[in-house]
Amino acid sequence: MSKNINVGIIGVSGYTGLELVKMLINHPTFKLNYVANSTGDITMDELHPSLSGICSLEVKKADVDECAATCSLVFLAVPHKTAMAFVKPFMKLGIKVVDFSADYRLTQDVYEEYYCAHTDAENLENVVYGLPEMFREEIKNASLVANPGCFPTSAILGLLPFMDRRVPNTPIIVDAKTGVSGAGKKLSDVTHFVNVNDNLFAYNPFHHRHAPEIAQKLGVSFDEVNFVPHLVPLTRGMISSIYIQTQGSFDAEELVREYYKDEPYVRISKNPVDMKNTAGTNFCDIYVKQKGNLLFVSSSIDNLLRGSSSQALANANLMMGLDENSGIPNIAYVP
Amino acid sequence: MSKNINVGIIGVSGYTGLELVKMLINHPTFKLNYVANSTGDITMDELHPSLSGICSLEVKKADVDECAATCSLVFLAVPHKTAMAFVKPFMKLGIKVVDFSADYRLTQDVYEEYYCAHTDAENLENVVYGLPEMFREEIKNASLVANPGCFPTSAILGLLPFMDRRVPNTPIIVDAKTGVSGAGKKLSDVTHFVNVNDNLFAYNPFHHRHAPEIAQKLGVSFDEVNFVPHLVPLTRGMISSIYIQTQGSFDAEELVREYYKDEPYVRISKNPVDMKNTAGTNFCDIYVKQKGNLLFVSSSIDNLLRGSSSQALANANLMMGLDENSGIPNIAYVP
Amino acid sequence: MSKNINVGIIGVSGYTGLELVKMLINHPTFKLNYVANSTGDITMDELHPSLSGICSLEVKKADVDECAATCSLVFLAVPHKTAMAFVKPFMKLGIKVVDFSADYRLTQDVYEEYYCAHTDAENLENVVYGLPEMFREEIKNASLVANPGCFPTSAILGLLPFMDRRVPNTPIIVDAKTGVSGAGKKLSDVTHFVNVNDNLFAYNPFHHRHAPEIAQKLGVSFDEVNFVPHLVPLTRGMISSIYIQTQGSFDAEELVREYYKDEPYVRISKNPVDMKNTAGTNFCDIYVKQKGNLLFVSSSIDNLLRGSSSQALANANLMMGLDENSGIPNIAYVP
Amino acid sequence: MSKNINVGIIGVSGYTGLELVKMLINHPTFKLNYVANSTGDITMDELHPSLSGICSLEVKKADVDECAATCSLVFLAVPHKTAMAFVKPFMKLGIKVVDFSADYRLTQDVYEEYYCAHTDAENLENVVYGLPEMFREEIKNASLVANPGCFPTSAILGLLPFMDRRVPNTPIIVDAKTGVSGAGKKLSDVTHFVNVNDNLFAYNPFHHRHAPEIAQKLGVSFDEVNFVPHLVPLTRGMISSIYIQTQGSFDAEELVREYYKDEPYVRISKNPVDMKNTAGTNFCDIYVKQKGNLLFVSSSIDNLLRGSSSQALANANLMMGLDENSGIPNIAYVP
């Protein structure tokens, strides 16, 4: 194993930054030689004590030029809006970027409705949406990849095979359940242990920012995607329970198996999927069940990996001409 | 407080039996003077150590005559099929019964399709379904009440106000989430801590026995009720996330507030309901959200109380001419 | 039931304030007619949605005169230092006080070493430590009661019966385990769900403020009490695992049963105690096991109730000449 | 990477068997070409669905000859007593064995007191106890290694550096906390989700079978080791909170750092250790704190890995002349 491609990460304080670091430590080709956050002046193992004895890289205060001087590709694990400000100069310097944020996932008008003003229309034109099952070839040639949101990843992978069978204009219902790590490290009443433990609740019903992302990528109107996420008392994992009305006669399991038959990171399950079999991996596990013309799809991913960091790494592998599977985790945290 | 009505419980080993005992200890009128399970030869505090110092009643091996000799009303917290065998003789002896099982909740044909042969057609004709919000007056005059299932209670209470607004023949979707106590004390892989903790999964999608119960009580066909329960890593609590297509212009929150305005144990919430505010109580908390013609209803109950034991007690109160609220818990276990 | 003694609570925003409100709603004699926090301008059910339909009392901005005008006794569920500032004027006005904070639990010198300067030496002289098993008679005549800390309550009740048997100058080891509600509502990394779930760790080993409280009440030196609390991933509950070296021959279970034989809220268990049998109650459950001259005591309480609010209520009952047991919860939250 | 040493596992149905399979899949030298359980007739991914797409090896009904024909070393992840029956013939056939059970950890007399009759005295004489920090050189030359118990691993590693400083004849107290996976897959009331969630309790206080294992390896009498394990509501992780009385003046942190300075899988922490930093790894994290002559040691491991499977793999690496670190996991499951 020769680590001969230098990569950097801006944003190593959060959960997704840490997950990426963990995978890059053992990556056969990528060498992590630049890590940064908003303050610097600390080492990786001070920031994340679990890395003690494993990684003591110096964490820098993020600086585009310093990063560009030593890296061919950079992962941006920073909040939306902050991301745009980094993407522009990196693109100018010819550095490839995988952006974890929402900044380049939506058309400008929709982005501005749900987030804030967009200040980088130029790169927005050339971005590729980093869902390999949809855009593998485009990703290979991309300079800038918008890494998908966690909910959109699980929902789109569950819906894609069936969009042709759907009755037009009937509601697509995505009742999602997510672990708490999806909310990040920021302190809030919602993530206080006492409020989450022994509890469950919907949040932002019909108003979550991931709904337009799902709609745009599936090519349907926002009105058709009805998305209600629920917070559940566990750390990592995400399941989208999807309901759509279909027409014509078909065997949903057969169809989904055929659709994903060449995909290395989608598994079709004969039994309802759970969260533990995907936790720690890049897999999306899918289960389908038909009842007359109603189709139930249950789609499970690790929200921090397939929903963020391992998908980002798959994208980076593709962008740099490597095997898509290089360094991608496939062995779950069970039990 | 004068405890002057004697009641009994057959089936005090399980969770719902225990919950009922806990409420009856402090009930102002009902005196619990007969408790039984399938073996006897133990006391309540030996069976449930949390009752040490509180209740040391002798648990008998269940015997209809012994129970009937000293009780005006009996609660049957036993499995389906076992329940029928007790109901018949109690009815003959003129003892009122609240049955926790599914034995008297469905029409005979549907019962036999989902459960087993029914051997008590006679009493099945005169049973009342014990959902006070639907059948309060009938319950007052009933000798035999079929206490509703937990999922049906949460789903029906969420759907009732909106059945008139629903577009006929469109799917009613009930994506339910339940804590593990709903599965009872029986050991199984599904309830092993290691399999539940950090996990979540659907089970019996579109094939759960509670689906026909929901359909029959709402007066729709089984085809229209699409019910998918999910197990979540917590002990008590249940939320039904309901999606229906509606017609006409109306304010769902206004409608549901009006519908339940005189109901003591239904609360309408401006924010998405959670499980902790109902845990430990008989409340059903309901939240509604409209998006065009799609309606989302989130309905939360304590699966062991409103979903079983406290609803049973409310039914017993009504059957014996007491205030429906006597001894009914309304203060949640939060935090 | 005639609620003819008016009481107030200052500090109803936190967990212990809420627990106290929940008990007072159903108290046979105490009428809760004054509730306050630091801001006011809200109602109880807005502050704690679980009280919706139960208690809509107006929460005032705390004011001593307003409270004193209508209450005979006030509970102070505010932080240390803030408590002192309230106690002084209430004492002057002849209002009885149960103080939840540490302000009056220690001698002045020790208090000032572990907390801050003490500004109410006068009342500190006349305070009674509110552990009924130690000071029941004194509490009955007290104007000011210092409600014990949660860890001291569980540790002292476990140790009291055995202090005479202990080998002098050998270490008293208290390895305690507590749920997260003990840390209060304040946001911190330590109480973020992701950091607590699937985790466990010691904190402040040998340096927790509750250690001197345990030592002073047991009449031993601080050097002899070796206290290490651990945070465990659950909401409510606390167990102290205590190890002491004893001398002479005695049967520990017999001794502890005899010691507490007249105590209504101490239960001796033949099996190791757990947290669920005490959660929701005022009970302290105790288990003992001897191995030669080493004694293991496991002492379990609900940290929010016996460790705070229900013990405070028992103290208030005693101070006002009521039955100590009035309104005290004894039925656990199991399952 | 050339997988040129064939190894087998007997006992792949349980948690530790699965953990071992997960590590061997990616091991650079060991090739897993024989897996068995007590029934056979299934594949690895049918037995453990998380391995779907990863490992579909046929699971055989355990057969010594079949295994010996193709493997140089075999891991026995079977219960005690069953293990002995396999060890004997494997030893005769010259196959190296790492035994996960207790069968070869104790002297015969003590084994028979705590477990059952021992039927393989011959091999018991030549076994090596597989704690590399104690017996690394002996393990390299061993044919049979007794893999340590989980509690003994965490307790012994915490105690070893300090045994010279301990006051003779004073009690060694080990107050341990373990996740539920340590109890295995077998169904029991103790592992039912409802009994574990929101709960904590001691079990087998002073009578756990791991106590004599700790004593024998440390060279002290059974009377001196006072071991009380507690079950905590989480899946994997184990912390031993150790208290011993020491003599002389020394800096415990300095001493433990020096003691383990060349050990790749022991980390000394400046802050109290937690369970998440070791979960998923072979690390033992140790924290020490002195208070006068009392020493507190907190020692954290993953009970399934360092407490079983990854330690077994390290032993196998040593026995086969490989780098001890080959294929050993060092990156934690955090967050």
Side-chain angles (χ1 to χ4, degrees), chain D residues 84-132:
Chain D
M84 281 189 269
F86 282 111
V87 166
K88 259 175 127 164
F90 276 121
M91 287 294 104
K92 269 197 192 119
L93 292 165
I95 307 301
K96 298 193 175 184
V97 171
V98 180
D99 176 24
F100 285 48
S101 87
D103 280 355
Y104 297 85
R105 294 182 197 153
L106 300 169
T107 54
Q108 185 163 356
D109 55 334
V110 175
Y111 179 84
E112 297 192 337
E113 184 185 339
Y114 281 83
Y115 293 88
C116 58
H118 203 291
T119 58
D120 185 21
E122 188 186 336
N123 289 307
L124 189 53
E125 266 179 40
N126 300 308
V127 71
V128 174
Y129 188 69
L131 193 67

Side-chain angles (χ1 to χ4, degrees), chain A residues 19 22 52 198 267 332 334, chain D residues 19 22 50 52 198 267 332 334:
Chain A
E19 288 298 311
K22 285 161 59 177
S52 175
D198 297 322
R267 297 189 294 198
V334 280
Chain D
E19 287 299 311
K22 285 162 59 177
S50 68
S52 174
D198 297 321
R267 298 187 295 198
V334 280

Side-chain angles (χ1 to χ4, degrees), chain A residues 230-248:
Chain A
H230 296 74
L231 194 75
V232 292
L234 50 87
T235 298
R236 60 161 78 202
M238 167 174 291
I239 285 184
S240 287
S241 303
I242 301 166
Y243 303 86
I244 57 168
Q245 294 162 250
T246 59
Q247 53 194 348

Side-chain angles (χ1 to χ4, degrees), chain C residues 81-89 103-104 111 116-120:
Chain C
K81 197 174 176 186
T82 306
M84 282 190 268
F86 281 111
V87 167
K88 259 175 127 163
D103 280 356
Y104 296 86
Y111 179 85
C116 58
H118 203 293
T119 58
D120 185 21

Side-chain angles (χ1 to χ4, degrees), chain A residues 15 18-19 22 25-26 49-52 54 197-198 235-236 267 276-277 283 304 330-335, chain D residues 15 18-19 22 25-26 49-52 54 197-198 235-236 267 277 283 304 330-335:
Chain A
Y15 299 138
L18 171 59
E19 288 298 311
K22 285 161 59 177
I25 286 170
N26 291 317
S50 68
L51 296 177
S52 175
I54 307 297
N197 186 42
D198 297 322
T235 298
R236 60 161 78 202
R267 297 189 294 198
K276 297 216 74 164
N277 287 335
F283 283 116
L304 294 178
N330 62 8
I331 296 195
Y333 285 176
V334 280
Chain D
Y15 298 139
L18 171 59
E19 287 299 311
K22 285 162 59 177
I25 286 170
N26 292 316
S50 68
L51 295 177
S52 174
I54 308 297
N197 186 41
D198 297 321
T235 299
R236 62 160 77 204
R267 298 187 295 198
N277 288 334
F283 283 116
L304 294 178
N330 61 9
I331 296 196
Y333 285 175
V334 280

Side-chain angles (χ1 to χ4, degrees), chain D residues 290-304:
Chain D
Q290 293 171 287
K291 183 184 169 215
N293 290 322
L294 192 76
L295 173 66
F296 168 64
V297 184
S298 189
S299 168
S300 172
I301 62 169
D302 181 319
N303 59 305
L304 294 178

Side-chain angles (χ1 to χ4, degrees), chain B residues 106-124:
Chain B
L106 300 169
T107 54
Q108 184 163 357
D109 54 335
V110 174
Y111 179 85
E112 297 192 337
E113 185 186 340
Y114 281 83
Y115 294 87
C116 58
H118 203 292
T119 58
D120 186 20
E122 188 186 338
N123 289 308
L124 189 53

